[in-house]
Amino acid sequence: MLQINGDNVKSHLLLILCAITLSTAELHKDTQTKKFPDGFLFGASTSAYQIEGAWNVDGKSENIWDHITHKIPCFLSNCDTGDVAANSYYLYKRDVEMMRELGLDFYRFSISWTRILPTSFPDKINEAGKNYYNNLINEMLKYNITPMVTLYHGDLPQKLQQIGGWTNPEVSKWFSDYARVAFELFGDRVKHWFTLNEPKETCNQDYATGFRDLSGIADYLCAKNVLLAHGKAYEVYNNEFRASQNGNVGIVVSVKWYEPETEKEIDAAEDVAIFEWGQFIHPIFSETGDFPKKMKERIAKKSAEQGFPSSRLPNFSPEEVELVRGSADFFGLNHYSTCIAYRNESINGLYESPSYHDDMNVITYTPNDWKSTESASTNVSWGFYKVLTKIRNDYGNPPIYITENGFNSEIGGILDDNRMSYLKSYLNAMLDAISEGSDIRLYSIWSLMDNFEWGTGYKSKYGLYEVNYTSGKFERVPRKSAYFYRNVLKTRVLDINFEPDMSVPICEEN
Ligand SMILES: *[C@@H]1O[C@H](CO)[C@@H](O)[C@H](O)[C@H]1NC(C)=O
Ligand SMILES: *[C@@H]1O[C@H](CO)[C@@H](O)[C@H](O)[C@H]1NC(C)=O
């Protein structure tokens, strides 16, 4: 198999090869196919800390992940850090070349707050940071690849963390000030903005933020502030940029499916959905706004029983409810997996009290036969279908951007048949939801390439491209799934029986 590296001469050779050896095996010729809707867009996602590296280069200051991984050596297994990651700060041109090889319509990446604003505030804009993102965006536009930008993807400035981070009520202003700078710098070319990625993970399970110590209090303060931060950034765009820039702004929420263990567990499954994602979706996408009623009542009741003078869940003022309600032009949805939910007597004393899990009061698990052999990833695509159907029914069929979906392998290698099979099955489930009326506009795979996967470091591999971390060169090599994805983009058809011919080099086509 031919491999592509950053070398220009080789790339040119490959281009010629591509032109003469385009195999007929690549042409779709099966009856078991489904067409994607006209205008449907395909892309791939990454985030700054997970791929850029260059953590202390050219004026960038420290974020919470830089801090925690340095302060506690071997904080993660394998002692991984994002110091170098996939080295995309230096290899962005190769990244864009990969986008061309795949034929992506768009690429979703994130801006590092501390690369743009080293003080955390707009008093000083870091020229080198600005240049990096300008170069990346312009390189993509040169090839008609649409940039889609996440403003916050897990990497809060450490200086802000030291004064409470997402629990400090001022954080919504700090964030919207940062958002304004990004709109100003890049909004002439960037028309799709994601304010925050996965607020639930930010508030409830980010290893670097340390909120775990005060669960049941800090995570709810964070939830309120994250929602206000999003609402204010949306307002900034509306008031100052929408008329001239004419783009879209939304948020990205991770949405798992929780299947009731038995018919009797429907209530438990509903509760976990309300706590895990309803707390972020309901305030923005429901007609009434605010946190879900059931969540408010549950936490108020428990707080009173526990001797708190008021609910541990903070209130939104009526003005705040209105700021957040409807503050999205689309619903950014990340989906990976499905698990089972139930509750019985064994739950008594299972969770610390007070805590988020004690408030939720549900047990979840993933059956072994749903798990893949190479990671904890599940292959349960009907869960994706059910999530999409529920969002359509419960929230008035909002326009949906699938901002992440993908398969984790802890084995790696180029022949990723399980990833390909996962993608076929999940794309199929998405097409089923579309055919029943879900307004899904685009699909973005996680991820373009292997990267630093937070708590599991480099052990978890999600890439269409494998990254070589040991050669010192970070070469990106297309996996079998890259060939598959490329074919989907080329044909705009899902062919369940498609088998890539990997003897033909993957390369951009003209
Ligand atoms: C994933 O699920 C699909 C649909 O049920 C199935 O066809 C496929 O074989 C599964 N793949 C793996 C690796 O389990
Ligand atoms: C990484 O590169 C080294 C040196 O070229 C090579 O020996 C190794 O097999 C590569 N690893 C992967 C995973 O491709």
Side-chain angles (χ1 to χ4, degrees), residues 3 413-414 466-473 475 477:
Q3 294 188 352
I414 296 299
E466 181 175 59
V467 172
N468 191 326
Y469 295 109
T470 53
S471 66
K473 291 191 191 143
E475 295 97 333
V477 181

